[in-house]
Amino acid sequence: MPFPPPVRTLSGPRRRTLLASAAGAALMAGCSSGEGGSGKEKPGAGPSASAQERARARAASDSAGLLERYDAVLAVHPALTARLAPLRAEVARHVTAFGGAERGTRTSPSASASASASASASASPGVPPAPAVVVPANAKDALADLAGAERALSDLRVAALVDLPGEPARLLASVAASGAAHAYLLTEGAR
């Protein structure tokens, strides 16, 4: 006698899909050894070094912006602290890993207003300050927005892997996979 199909079908990405995408990102990072592909390029030589520094600075800035989103959501929805604190801590470690420790050292959501004021004061005069993060009043919508931001940043980082060699690409791939996992956790928990 055949078994009946399951009554409930799950929606969203499966664990295997997430693991496969993380493995694919790691393979993409491992395959890029530089412009020549020989792996014997001079480290820090030519425009490649400046491109790596720009990519690292961009990743630090993007992670700091995501950290500010977490702080804004936690300021509006303090009931989500237990759920978001581990994810926020990971994003703070990403900021540090990319060399942006000065913006990612906030320890509490209440510090976000003073930190964003000092960040906009220290911005260059030609660059307009970043707009304030608008957090939905509904906690479920706030989590969905946060998941969308994590997913978009993860996709952006995976696309940037093509231009990076070796170690920077591996770091970016790891953080992109972490962002995809965060998006999944934020989405699944909201159901």
Side-chain angles (χ1 to χ4, degrees), residues 72 105 173:
T105 56

Side-chain angles (χ1 to χ4, degrees), residues 4-155:
V7 176
R8 186 177 91 146
T9 58
L10 300 175
S11 62
R14 305 289 186 268
R15 187 179 316 176
R16 288 181 188 169
T17 305
L18 288 174
L19 291 174
S21 64
L27 285 175
M28 285 176 47
C31 292
S32 62
S33 63
E35 294 167 336
S38 66
K40 296 182 181 178
E41 292 83 27
K42 295 178 187 173
S48 171
S50 64
Q52 288 180 33
E53 288 305 313
R54 283 192 310 269
R56 184 177 287 272
R58 166 88 186 210
S61 175
D62 290 344
S63 290
L66 187 60
L67 189 62
E68 290 173 4
R69 278 183 171 271
Y70 272 94
D71 289 340
V73 169
L74 287 170
V76 174
H77 302 286
L80 297 174
T81 300
R83 181 168 175 196
L84 295 181
L87 301 178
R88 185 202 177 278
E90 284 293 319
V91 173
R93 282 192 284 273
H94 297 163
V95 173
T96 304
F98 288 122
E102 66 278 354
R103 284 182 68 189
T105 56
R106 291 190 300 267
T107 57
S108 70
S110 62
S112 68
S114 63
S116 63
S118 66
S120 59
S122 67
S124 62
V127 178
V133 177
V134 178
V135 178
N138 182 356
K140 187 174 182 178
D141 292 339
L143 289 174
D145 283 354
L146 204 51
E150 285 271 16
R151 192 174 301 109
L153 186 55
S154 177
D155 291 344

